[in-house]
Amino acid sequence: MKAHFSFLLAAAAQFNLATFPAWSHPGSGIVVDRQGEIYFVDTGSGVWKIDTHGTLIQIPGPRFHWMTMDADERLRDVRLPSASGWEITRVSAKPTLMLASDFPIAMGRDGSLYYPSHGSGVPLEILQLMPSGRTSVLARLPATTAGRPLRELNGLATGPDGSLYYTENNAIRQITQQGRVSTIVENINLPRCASIPGTEAKDRPLLRGLQVDARGTIYVAASGCGSVLKVTPDGQITILVDLESPWSPTAVALFGNDLYVLEYLHTASEDRRAWVPRDTPTQALWVL
Protein backbone atom coordinates (compact mmCIF):
# COMPACT_ATOMS: atom_id res chain seq x y z
CA MET A 1 0.00 0.00 0.00
CA LYS A 2 1.30 3.43 -0.88
CA ALA A 3 1.34 6.06 1.82
CA HIS A 4 0.19 9.56 0.98
CA PHE A 5 2.07 12.37 2.69
CA SER A 6 0.33 15.75 2.74
CA PHE A 7 2.39 18.80 3.62
CA LEU A 8 0.55 21.54 5.48
CA LEU A 9 1.72 24.84 4.03
CA ALA A 10 -0.41 27.65 5.48
CA ALA A 11 -0.55 31.02 3.73
CA ALA A 12 1.69 33.31 5.77
CA ALA A 13 0.53 36.33 3.81
CA GLN A 14 -2.74 36.21 5.76
CA PHE A 15 -1.00 36.70 9.12
CA ASN A 16 -0.12 40.01 10.73
CA LEU A 17 2.96 39.25 12.82
CA ALA A 18 4.34 42.74 13.29
CA THR A 19 3.46 43.31 16.94
CA PHE A 20 4.25 40.10 18.83
CA PRO A 21 7.28 39.54 21.12
CA ALA A 22 10.08 37.03 20.61
CA TRP A 23 9.95 33.37 21.74
CA SER A 24 12.68 30.72 21.67
CA HIS A 25 11.59 28.65 18.67
CA PRO A 26 8.75 28.15 16.17
CA GLY A 27 5.62 26.28 17.24
CA SER A 28 5.36 22.51 17.25
CA GLY A 29 1.70 21.57 17.33
CA ILE A 30 -0.54 20.02 14.67
CA VAL A 31 -3.52 17.64 15.05
CA VAL A 32 -6.23 16.24 12.77
CA ASP A 33 -9.75 15.49 14.04
CA ARG A 34 -11.99 12.57 13.03
CA GLN A 35 -13.53 14.59 10.20
CA GLY A 36 -10.12 15.33 8.69
CA GLU A 37 -10.00 18.97 9.79
CA ILE A 38 -6.48 20.16 10.56
CA TYR A 39 -5.48 22.39 13.48
CA PHE A 40 -2.02 23.89 13.90
CA VAL A 41 -0.25 26.45 16.06
CA ASP A 42 1.38 29.59 14.77
CA THR A 43 3.50 31.32 17.42
CA GLY A 44 2.78 34.68 15.78
CA SER A 45 -1.00 34.45 15.42
CA GLY A 46 -2.32 31.59 17.54
CA VAL A 47 -4.30 28.55 16.38
CA TRP A 48 -5.61 27.94 12.86
CA LYS A 49 -7.93 25.36 11.34
CA ILE A 50 -8.10 24.10 7.78
CA ASP A 51 -11.57 22.63 7.23
CA THR A 52 -12.43 19.84 4.80
CA HIS A 53 -13.07 22.43 2.06
CA GLY A 54 -9.58 23.90 2.45
CA THR A 55 -10.77 27.09 4.18
CA LEU A 56 -8.33 28.62 6.67
CA ILE A 57 -10.06 29.71 9.91
CA GLN A 58 -8.50 31.32 12.98
CA ILE A 59 -9.38 29.81 16.38
CA PRO A 60 -9.34 32.23 19.35
CA GLY A 61 -6.68 31.35 21.87
CA PRO A 62 -3.14 32.07 23.11
CA ARG A 63 -0.03 31.96 20.95
CA PHE A 64 1.50 28.91 22.61
CA HIS A 65 3.95 26.38 21.19
CA TRP A 66 2.51 22.89 21.71
CA MET A 67 -0.90 21.31 21.23
CA THR A 68 -2.85 18.09 21.65
CA MET A 69 -6.52 17.15 21.25
CA ASP A 70 -9.02 15.78 23.78
CA ALA A 71 -11.28 14.26 21.12
CA ASP A 72 -13.53 12.44 23.58
CA GLU A 73 -13.78 15.29 26.11
CA ARG A 74 -12.36 13.02 28.82
CA LEU A 75 -10.82 15.94 30.73
CA ARG A 76 -13.70 18.36 30.17
CA ASP A 77 -14.35 18.89 33.90
CA VAL A 78 -10.76 18.50 35.11
CA ARG A 79 -8.68 21.49 36.15
CA LEU A 80 -5.61 21.69 33.94
CA PRO A 81 -2.20 22.19 35.54
CA SER A 82 -0.37 25.52 35.56
CA ALA A 83 2.32 27.26 37.58
CA SER A 84 4.42 30.39 37.58
CA GLY A 85 5.91 30.75 34.09
CA TRP A 86 3.92 28.04 32.31
CA GLU A 87 0.37 27.06 31.49
CA ILE A 88 -1.77 24.39 29.85
CA THR A 89 -5.14 25.66 28.65
CA ARG A 90 -8.14 24.67 26.54
CA VAL A 91 -9.34 26.30 23.34
CA SER A 92 -12.21 25.41 21.04
CA ALA A 93 -14.71 22.61 21.74
CA LYS A 94 -15.77 19.43 19.97
CA PRO A 95 -12.93 18.75 19.61
CA THR A 96 -11.28 20.36 22.60
CA LEU A 97 -7.76 21.52 21.83
CA MET A 98 -5.21 21.81 24.62
CA LEU A 99 -2.29 24.20 24.31
CA ALA A 100 0.90 24.27 26.37
CA SER A 101 3.15 27.28 26.68
CA ASP A 102 6.49 25.68 27.50
CA PHE A 103 6.63 21.95 26.79
CA PRO A 104 5.05 19.20 24.66
CA ILE A 105 1.87 17.46 25.82
CA ALA A 106 0.02 14.34 24.65
CA MET A 107 -3.39 12.76 25.20
CA GLY A 108 -3.34 9.04 25.94
CA ARG A 109 -5.82 6.38 24.86
CA ASP A 110 -6.78 6.10 28.52
CA GLY A 111 -8.02 9.69 28.51
CA SER A 112 -5.06 10.98 30.51
CA LEU A 113 -2.98 14.02 29.68
CA TYR A 114 0.78 13.44 29.79
CA TYR A 115 3.34 16.21 30.21
CA PRO A 116 6.88 16.70 31.58
CA SER A 117 7.68 18.24 34.93
CA HIS A 118 8.88 21.79 34.59
CA GLY A 119 11.42 23.63 36.70
CA SER A 120 14.91 23.14 38.07
CA GLY A 121 14.36 19.66 39.43
CA VAL A 122 16.18 16.71 37.87
CA PRO A 123 15.72 14.06 36.77
CA LEU A 124 12.87 15.14 34.52
CA GLU A 125 9.59 13.32 35.15
CA ILE A 126 6.59 12.47 32.99
CA LEU A 127 3.36 13.31 34.79
CA GLN A 128 -0.07 11.81 34.15
CA LEU A 129 -3.25 13.82 34.71
CA MET A 130 -6.11 11.31 34.85
CA PRO A 131 -9.80 11.87 34.02
CA SER A 132 -10.46 11.59 37.75
CA GLY A 133 -8.35 14.74 38.27
CA ARG A 134 -5.59 12.83 40.03
CA THR A 135 -1.96 13.44 38.99
CA SER A 136 0.81 10.86 39.31
CA VAL A 137 4.38 10.32 38.14
CA LEU A 138 4.59 7.82 35.28
CA ALA A 139 8.37 7.79 34.82
CA ARG A 140 11.65 9.46 35.69
CA LEU A 141 13.68 10.01 32.57
CA PRO A 142 17.32 8.97 32.05
CA ALA A 143 20.24 11.17 31.06
CA THR A 144 20.76 12.36 27.49
CA THR A 145 23.03 10.64 24.98
CA ALA A 146 25.76 13.04 26.16
CA GLY A 147 25.35 11.79 29.73
CA ARG A 148 23.86 15.03 31.03
CA PRO A 149 20.57 15.29 32.93
CA LEU A 150 17.63 15.73 30.56
CA ARG A 151 16.08 19.13 31.26
CA GLU A 152 13.41 19.39 28.55
CA LEU A 153 11.60 17.35 25.92
CA ASN A 154 11.38 18.25 22.24
CA GLY A 155 8.30 16.17 21.44
CA LEU A 156 5.84 13.78 23.07
CA ALA A 157 3.35 11.34 21.51
CA THR A 158 1.32 8.24 22.36
CA GLY A 159 1.62 4.86 20.63
CA PRO A 160 -0.96 2.22 19.70
CA ASP A 161 -0.35 0.13 22.82
CA GLY A 162 -0.61 3.06 25.24
CA SER A 163 3.13 3.65 25.41
CA LEU A 164 4.57 7.16 25.24
CA TYR A 165 7.36 8.25 22.91
CA TYR A 166 9.52 11.32 23.35
CA THR A 167 12.30 13.06 21.48
CA GLU A 168 15.57 14.54 22.59
CA ASN A 169 17.88 16.36 20.19
CA ASN A 170 19.42 13.09 19.03
CA ALA A 171 17.25 10.29 20.39
CA ILE A 172 13.77 8.76 20.49
CA ARG A 173 12.76 6.87 23.62
CA GLN A 174 9.70 4.87 24.66
CA ILE A 175 7.92 4.76 28.02
CA THR A 176 5.68 1.78 28.75
CA GLN A 177 2.45 2.06 30.72
CA GLN A 178 4.42 0.67 33.66
CA GLY A 179 6.93 3.54 33.44
CA ARG A 180 9.86 1.63 31.95
CA VAL A 181 12.02 3.70 29.59
CA SER A 182 13.82 2.19 26.58
CA THR A 183 15.62 3.61 23.57
CA ILE A 184 14.28 3.27 20.02
CA VAL A 185 17.19 5.08 18.39
CA GLU A 186 19.97 7.43 19.50
CA ASN A 187 23.16 9.08 18.23
CA ILE A 188 21.56 9.59 14.82
CA ASN A 189 23.95 10.47 12.01
CA LEU A 190 21.96 11.29 8.89
CA PRO A 191 23.68 10.93 5.49
CA ARG A 192 22.65 14.49 4.66
CA CYS A 193 21.64 17.42 6.83
CA ALA A 194 20.76 20.91 5.67
CA SER A 195 22.09 23.92 7.56
CA ILE A 196 19.03 25.41 9.26
CA PRO A 197 19.33 28.96 10.68
CA GLY A 198 18.98 29.18 14.45
CA THR A 199 20.17 25.61 15.08
CA GLU A 200 23.59 24.44 16.25
CA ALA A 201 25.56 21.53 14.84
CA LYS A 202 25.89 19.94 18.29
CA ASP A 203 22.08 19.67 18.57
CA ARG A 204 21.43 18.12 15.16
CA PRO A 205 19.34 16.47 13.90
CA LEU A 206 17.27 18.29 16.58
CA LEU A 207 14.30 15.91 16.64
CA ARG A 208 11.02 17.57 17.61
CA GLY A 209 7.37 16.66 16.98
CA LEU A 210 6.56 12.99 16.33
CA GLN A 211 3.66 10.61 15.73
CA VAL A 212 3.41 6.81 15.92
CA ASP A 213 1.23 4.70 13.61
CA ALA A 214 -0.67 1.48 14.36
CA ARG A 215 2.41 -0.65 13.55
CA GLY A 216 4.67 1.29 15.88
CA THR A 217 6.44 3.15 13.08
CA ILE A 218 7.51 6.63 14.12
CA TYR A 219 7.39 9.76 11.94
CA VAL A 220 9.42 12.64 13.30
CA ALA A 221 10.47 16.15 12.34
CA ALA A 222 14.26 16.56 12.27
CA SER A 223 14.17 20.34 12.61
CA GLY A 224 17.93 20.79 12.67
CA CYS A 225 18.35 19.07 9.30
CA GLY A 226 15.20 20.18 7.49
CA SER A 227 14.00 16.58 7.17
CA VAL A 228 11.10 14.30 7.99
CA LEU A 229 12.20 10.84 9.15
CA LYS A 230 10.54 7.44 9.32
CA VAL A 231 11.83 5.23 12.13
CA THR A 232 10.81 1.56 12.37
CA PRO A 233 10.30 -0.14 15.76
CA ASP A 234 13.76 -1.74 15.41
CA GLY A 235 15.42 1.64 14.81
CA GLN A 236 15.84 1.66 11.03
CA ILE A 237 15.79 5.24 9.73
CA THR A 238 14.59 6.51 6.35
CA ILE A 239 14.62 10.15 5.25
CA LEU A 240 11.19 10.70 3.70
CA VAL A 241 11.62 14.30 2.62
CA ASP A 242 14.36 16.94 2.61
CA LEU A 243 13.12 20.52 2.77
CA GLU A 244 15.06 23.50 1.47
CA SER A 245 16.69 25.69 4.12
CA PRO A 246 15.65 27.99 5.79
CA TRP A 247 12.35 26.05 5.82
CA SER A 248 12.20 23.19 8.29
CA PRO A 249 9.55 20.91 9.85
CA THR A 250 8.61 21.18 13.51
CA ALA A 251 5.75 18.69 13.95
CA VAL A 252 3.75 15.96 12.19
CA ALA A 253 0.24 14.50 12.40
CA LEU A 254 -1.21 11.24 11.05
CA PHE A 255 -4.67 10.79 9.53
CA GLY A 256 -5.20 7.44 7.83
CA ASN A 257 -2.38 7.12 5.29
CA ASP A 258 -1.74 10.87 5.25
CA LEU A 259 1.11 12.49 7.13
CA TYR A 260 0.71 16.23 7.66
CA VAL A 261 3.85 18.24 8.38
CA LEU A 262 3.94 21.65 10.05
CA GLU A 263 6.73 23.63 8.42
CA TYR A 264 8.20 26.97 9.47
CA LEU A 265 10.69 29.52 8.22
CA HIS A 266 13.63 29.35 10.64
CA THR A 267 15.78 32.41 11.33
CA ALA A 268 19.13 32.98 13.02
CA SER A 269 17.53 35.37 15.53
CA GLU A 270 14.87 34.43 18.09
CA ASP A 271 12.06 36.52 16.62
CA ARG A 272 8.60 34.98 16.32
CA ARG A 273 7.59 37.79 13.97
CA ALA A 274 9.82 36.18 11.36
CA TRP A 275 8.75 32.59 12.09
CA VAL A 276 5.96 32.02 9.60
CA PRO A 277 4.57 29.04 7.71
CA ARG A 278 5.54 28.91 4.04
CA ASP A 279 3.69 31.35 1.78
CA THR A 280 2.50 28.77 -0.74
CA PRO A 281 -0.82 27.05 -1.57
CA THR A 282 -2.54 25.60 1.50
CA GLN A 283 -1.83 21.96 0.67
CA ALA A 284 0.48 20.07 -1.63
CA LEU A 285 0.27 16.28 -1.93
CA TRP A 286 3.32 14.05 -2.07
CA VAL A 287 2.96 10.37 -2.93
CA LEU A 288 5.90 8.22 -1.83
Side-chain angles (χ1 to χ4, degrees), residues 31-226:
V31 296
V32 185
D33 69 17
R34 289 166 179 156
Q35 287 70 48
E37 295 187 318
I38 307 158
Y39 303 82
F40 64 98
V41 296
D42 168 26
T43 43
S45 296
V47 179
W48 296 85
K49 177 175 80 171
I50 297 178
D51 68 17
T52 54
H53 302 290
T55 303
L56 187 64
I57 303 166
Q58 188 167 21
I59 306 295
R63 298 181 295 275
F64 285 173
H65 285 71
W66 283 276
M67 178 168 60
T68 190
M69 179 169 56
D70 184 7
D72 296 319
E73 309 288 333
R74 296 289 300 277
L75 297 178
R76 179 182 56 191
D77 300 321
V78 175
R79 181 178 179 180
L80 297 180
S82 64
S84 177
W86 63 267
E87 181 183 0
I88 300 175
T89 189
R90 298 178 182 86
V91 301
S92 184
K94 297 183 179 180
T96 294
L97 304 176
M98 294 185 181
L99 301 180
S101 59
D102 285 60
F103 42 74
I105 55 178
M107 280 295 299
R109 291 175 175 266
D110 60 354
S112 295
L113 176 70
Y114 295 90
Y115 61 99
S117 57
H118 193 70
S120 58
V122 290
L124 200 66
E125 297 176 331
I126 294 296
L127 305 178
Q128 177 185 8
L129 174 62
M130 305 174 192
S132 65
R134 180 172 165 276
T135 299
S136 66
V137 176
L138 175 66
R140 289 179 172 84
L141 305 185
T144 68
T145 55
R148 295 187 292 268
L150 181 63
R151 297 189 179 276
E152 60 183 19
L153 300 188
N154 295 352
L156 184 65
T158 55
D161 62 351
S163 294
L164 291 177
Y165 294 76
Y166 68 91
T167 52
E168 304 169 20
N169 290 345
N170 199 17
I172 301 174
R173 306 194 199 277
Q174 180 186 32
I175 308 172
T176 68
Q177 292 177 302
Q178 294 73 39
R180 293 189 292 271
V181 182
S182 60
T183 299
I184 302 296
V185 65
E186 63 182 352
N187 297 318
I188 298 169
N189 184 19
L190 298 178
R192 53 188 184 274
C193 180
S195 178
I196 305 299
T199 65
E200 299 183 24
K202 66 180 179 62
D203 295 331
R204 293 171 186 158
L206 188 56
L207 304 179
R208 291 194 66 195
L210 73 164
Q211 285 283 282
V212 186
D213 70 14
R215 296 176 295 276
T217 299
I218 301 164
Y219 301 88
V220 60
S223 294
C225 289

